[in-house]
Amino acid sequence: MQQRQLGSFTVSAIGLGCMNICHAYGAPVSEAQAERLLLAALDQGVTHFDTAALYGFGASETLVGKALSKHRSQFTLASKCGMQGVDVAGDGKLVRVIDGRPATLRATCEAALKRLRTDVIDLYYLHRWDKQVPIEDSVGALSDLVRAGKIQTIGLSEVSAATLRKAHAVHPITAVQTEYSLWTRNPEIAVLDACRELGTAFVAFSPVARGFLCGPIDVSTLDPKDIRRGMPRFSPENHAANLKLLPPYMAIADEVGCTPAQLAIAWLLHQGEHILPIPGTAREDHLKDNLGASDVKLDAATLVKLDALINQQTVSGNRYNDQSNREVDTEVFA
């Protein structure tokens, strides 16, 4: 496994996103299956595990803590605050809430430390910028957690270059995490350059395009609660148009001699040494497939073909619906 820098941490070039084991893509896997997956990832050289208070409303952090706390010295642990489940109506039902107030961030961190069974979180992200709270206030609260020894470093998720610079002026930002893949190029507008300028790592989630770049998906067979059902790119019209990109894409994977998922992740690894993909999965065979991308070498001609085939102009549909777009702070193409 290649190694890359995540701030002061040396980690596997490919990490593991820990959302899929309990959240977003249908029914969660069993606790035993999740534990096997996490331990398999560690055994296969993954040293960067990424979770969040939001994922399963604490379930992902709990699973990571149970499975990996005995091996805490062997990996870099990242989690997120600022977006979590809250019992708003007082009826026991949790709903997703974005809340970047300092008191909330402190409380979320304390709860995360207990679930993760650790004394310190290596990299703690603001999952979303709460636009009702100045970014300087939220980052200031996180810097207090650094001084208190609760977290080691600070990250931001789904923010613009301008917001990154404002935050970095308060406290060094170790990483920015945003969706980035062949079919989501928004970071190329400004954030990637800002990260290079500031010495901030860029952590790319959804590197295989919500599974699209792994092969054809029949949306009608997805679980009713699968988040892709509400994403514009998977609507019938857009999905039909996007499926036309897959045959030439699969042909390139055949030419390279790798799987489609490996091609997508390898493309990301070739975009810069400061880029760290974190594909998520709940299956051990997919985990092994994803990690194999570390060995895939792409020549300049192949990179040119991929860039021309799948990009912001050839993909149909927005990556998020209107509500989700309002919640993020990332730049968008005109």
Side-chain angles (χ1 to χ4, degrees):
M1 174 67 71
Q2 297 177 34
Q3 302 294 302
R4 292 193 169 181
Q5 289 304 122
L6 181 60
S8 61
F9 307 107
T10 300
V11 300
S12 53
I14 302 171
L16 179 66
C18 300
M19 180 175 76
N20 301 48
I21 57 177
C22 65
H23 181 83
Y25 294 108
V29 298
S30 69
E31 183 176 306
Q33 184 176 340
E35 186 170 354
R36 285 196 302 270
L37 178 84
L38 293 166
L39 290 172
L42 189 67
D43 187 57
Q44 293 177 48
V46 174
T47 56
H48 176 200
F49 290 82
D50 182 278
T51 182
L54 176 72
Y55 302 160
F57 296 147
S60 177
E61 288 181 329
T62 299
L63 289 167
V64 170
K66 182 179 180 182
L68 299 180
S69 59
K70 294 179 182 179
H71 313 280
R72 185 65 184 86
S73 63
Q74 299 178 34
F75 65 93
T76 296
L77 175 62
S79 194
K80 308 179 195 73
C81 61
M83 184 162 65
Q84 57 274 325
V86 177
D87 182 4
V88 175
D91 58 2
K93 295 181 180 179
L94 299 179
V95 296
R96 189 186 70 162
V97 172
I98 295 174
D99 185 348
R101 293 175 296 174
T104 301
L105 303 185
R106 288 192 291 269
T108 305
C109 181
E110 292 293 343
L113 290 168
K114 290 183 175 66
R115 288 191 291 261
L116 291 164
R117 304 185 187 187
T118 187
D119 295 326
V120 62
I121 298 168
D122 299 317
L123 172 59
Y124 206 41
Y125 292 91
L126 186 66
H127 204 160
R128 290 289 186 275
W129 171 34
D130 179 352
K131 297 173 185 178
Q132 305 303 310
V133 179
I135 189 66
E136 294 88 348
D137 291 357
S138 295
V139 172
L142 294 178
S143 69
D144 289 340
L145 292 173
V146 173
R147 285 186 286 273
K150 305 288 186 179
I151 66 177
Q152 292 204 58
T153 62
I154 297 172
L156 301 174
S157 179
E158 296 275 35
V159 297
S160 65
T163 300
L164 168 59
R165 289 192 172 92
K166 288 179 182 178
H168 194 78
V170 175
H171 189 281
I173 301 300
T174 289
V176 167
Q177 181 174 146
T178 294
E179 182 177 359
Y180 187 31
S181 68
L182 277 163
W183 87 339
T184 296
R185 303 294 195 92
N186 302 62
E188 295 175 358
I189 299 172
V191 169
L192 288 180
D193 287 341
C195 285
R196 288 190 189 94
E197 174 191 328
L198 299 173
T200 298
F202 185 92
V203 176
F205 75 79
S206 295
V208 294
R210 311 285 181 178
F212 177 81
L213 293 175
C214 299
I217 295 172
D218 183 351
V219 178
S220 68
T221 66
L222 296 178
D223 187 276
K225 294 184 178 180
D226 192 305
I227 60 174
R228 288 172 290 188
R229 285 185 172 272
M231 291 183 165
R233 290 179 180 173
F234 291 95
S235 70
E237 183 178 352
N238 288 329
H239 189 54
N242 290 328
L243 284 174
K244 296 175 183 178
L245 300 171
L246 280 182
Y249 175 77
M250 307 283 273
I252 296 174
D254 287 341
E255 291 172 9
V256 172
C258 66
T259 67
Q262 289 170 353
L263 183 62
I265 297 168
W267 176 85
L268 269 171
L269 291 173
H270 283 71
Q271 300 310 302
E273 288 294 322
H274 68 309
I275 296 173
L276 298 95
I278 51 166
T281 184
R283 291 175 46 171
E284 291 181 59
D285 56 338
H286 288 176
L287 169 70
K288 184 177 181 180
D289 184 21
N290 293 340
L291 298 182
S294 179
D295 298 321
V296 176
K297 306 300 180 185
L298 303 179
D299 59 29
T302 299
L303 292 170
V304 169
K305 282 196 292 186
L306 288 169
D307 281 333
L309 177 64
I310 303 177
N311 57 62
Q312 70 275 10
Q313 295 178 328
T314 63
V315 172
S316 297
N318 203 302
R319 70 183 181 111
Y320 282 146
N321 60 28
D322 289 342
Q323 178 181 339
S324 295
N325 276 327
R326 288 192 296 270
E327 292 174 348
V328 299
D329 177 51
T330 47
E331 290 91 355
V332 296
F333 290 99

